[in-house]
């Protein structure tokens, strides 16, 4: 794949991560999951196709700019999702403890 095509794939990833960030901000976890799958597929295409080749100064700057955007979006997505994941894990843990207590002490499920 040519350098410009690879840059377009990186830009595609940037568009997807921007959409992922919007989904995370809106707490649309289903859409976020779908977009993560698309992102993974596109990143794999880059991995499979990118050959070490010198880039023009313009393409190198473009690639760096796009990668910085992707990383910034990723950080913000994680800032949103990590607390939610911790909360979800705590809820699941509490539910598991409640179920064990109910089984142990014969209480009927709520």
């Amino acid at each position: 794949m040519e350098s410009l095509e690879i840059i377009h794939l990186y830009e595609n990833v940037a568009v997807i991560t921007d959409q992922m960030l919007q989904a995370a901000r809106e707490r649309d976890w289903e859409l976020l999951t779908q977009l993560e799958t698309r992102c993974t597929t596109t990143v794999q295409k880059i991995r499979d196709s990118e050959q070490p080749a010198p880039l023009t100064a313009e393409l190198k700057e473009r690639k760096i700019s796009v990668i910085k955007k992707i990383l910034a979006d990723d950080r913000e997505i994680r800032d949103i999702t990590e607390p939610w994941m911790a909360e979800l894990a705590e809820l699941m843990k509490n539910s598991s403890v409640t179920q064990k207590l109910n089984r142990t002490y014969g209480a009927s499920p709520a």
Side-chain angles (χ1 to χ4, degrees), residues 13-25 29 32 35-36 39-40 43 47 65-83:
V13 171
V15 168
I16 295 168
T17 58
D18 185 61
Q19 293 170 345
M20 289 170 62
L21 178 55
Q22 295 308 315
R25 285 177 178 155
W29 309 126
L32 180 60
L35 291 167
E36 284 176 326
C39 188
T40 300
V43 168
R47 286 185 181 137
S65 175
V66 170
I67 290 172
K68 285 181 178 179
K69 164 106 174 68
I70 292 167
L71 293 173
D73 287 349
D74 181 65
R75 176 74 256 158
E76 194 170 342
I77 291 164
R78 282 187 278 133
D79 287 346
I80 293 168
T81 58
E82 285 175 356

Side-chain angles (χ1 to χ4, degrees), residues 93-104 107:
K93 184 175 108 180
N94 287 340
S95 176
S96 175
V97 168
T98 300
Q99 289 174 1
K100 287 177 186 174
L101 287 172
N102 285 339
R103 279 193 305 268
T104 301

Side-chain angles (χ1 to χ4, degrees), residues 1-45:
M1 206 175 269
E2 293 193 23
S3 298
L4 192 55
E5 291 173 302
I6 294 293
I7 298 299
H8 286 302
L9 285 175
Y10 276 98
E11 290 170 338
N12 229 2
V13 171
V15 168
I16 295 168
T17 58
D18 185 61
Q19 293 170 345
M20 289 170 62
L21 178 55
Q22 295 308 315
R25 285 177 178 155
E26 295 169 9
R27 306 263 193 259
D28 188 342
W29 309 126
E30 186 174 331
L31 178 58
L32 180 60
T33 301
Q34 293 168 2
L35 291 167
E36 284 176 326
T37 301
R38 281 185 44 210
C39 188
T40 300
T41 301
T42 307
V43 168
Q44 191 57 52
K45 281 183 191 175

